[in-house]
Amino acid sequence: MSQGKYVKNLYLLRHAKSSWDDPSLSDAERPLNGRGRRDAPRMGAALSARLSSMIFHVSPAKRAQQTFAALQQSWAGLEAQHGITAPTLYTFDYWEVLRWIAAQPDDTDSLALVGHNPALTELVNFLVGPGTLGNLPTAGWAELSICIDEWLQAPDAKGEGELIYHLFPKSLAQSDGGH
């Protein structure tokens, strides 16, 4: 093995826009609204142009599960079996997400998550640096590169990451160009 640091890649997708129309639903039961159902497949199409299909660890919240299902509609090769429900990812606390990341096996150099704010925005700002990202919007995507050998080191990697790419639904509306 190399003496230098390896690089791990972290892919973060905030669930698409959810509905607040039915006040009788619990937070975890809220579905996507019309904008969310529109944005998630568009994000899937844009991301599939950049990346191969990958395993996603998905919050059990209905809006996160529906976001992953909608990604599949336009991401070639992304199948239902690529989505693994991770109950711990139903959190708004970035430390809980960071502890979950730290517990992941090192047989992969990348992790992809579908989760919630403020956890994901705060996670980016912890790993890259304060103020890196003001807000990861609904259906927003962020790719981080972190100089660590093992996922276990993630909680100690404050400021050691780099935001290498991000994509927000709002930018798709301006640059769809027939895609």
Side-chain angles (χ1 to χ4, degrees):
M1 293 287 183
S2 162
Q3 297 291 77
K5 288 258 186 196
Y6 289 105
V7 172
K8 299 282 191 187
N9 297 302
L10 187 58
Y11 303 103
L12 304 173
L13 179 69
R14 182 177 172 195
H15 65 79
K17 189 76 174 164
S18 61
S19 172
W20 292 86
D21 289 347
D22 185 348
S24 70
L25 294 177
S26 72
D27 181 74
E29 295 171 320
R30 289 190 299 109
L32 295 181
N33 70 9
R35 188 172 98 194
R37 289 189 305 272
R38 181 189 74 226
D39 286 349
R42 292 172 62 233
M43 288 295 291
L47 294 170
S48 73
R50 286 183 39 82
L51 301 162
S52 300
S53 61
M54 62 183 82
I55 300 295
F56 277 84
H57 301 274
V58 185
S59 160
K62 185 170 187 172
R63 60 193 180 275
Q65 294 288 319
Q66 288 181 328
T67 297
F68 176 74
L71 282 181
Q72 295 174 60
Q73 295 173 19
S74 53
W75 188 324
L78 190 63
E79 305 291 336
Q81 66 268 22
H82 289 113
I84 300 171
T85 300
T88 305
L89 296 180
Y90 180 56
T91 182
F92 310 102
D93 180 347
Y94 81 97
W95 273 110
E96 288 184 34
V97 177
L98 207 48
R99 283 193 291 273
W100 179 88
I101 290 168
Q104 298 311 300
D106 288 313
D107 59 356
T108 180
D109 289 331
S110 62
L111 286 174
L113 316 180
V114 179
H116 307 272
N117 254 0
L120 297 184
T121 296
E122 291 173 356
L123 181 62
V124 170
N125 290 323
F126 173 82
L127 290 170
V128 180
T132 299
L133 191 60
N135 178 49
L136 186 62
T138 51
W141 174 263
E143 294 178 22
L144 281 66
S145 175
I146 313 164
C147 291
I148 54 176
D149 297 311
E150 304 171 328
W151 290 115
L152 183 62
Q153 298 167 319
D156 298 319
K158 183 176 183 177
E160 293 185 31
E162 180 182 354
L163 178 62
I164 55 174
Y165 180 77
H166 68 275
L167 183 65
F168 303 157
K170 197 176 268 189
S171 60
L172 292 178
Q174 297 160 357
S175 64
D176 265 354
H179 295 325

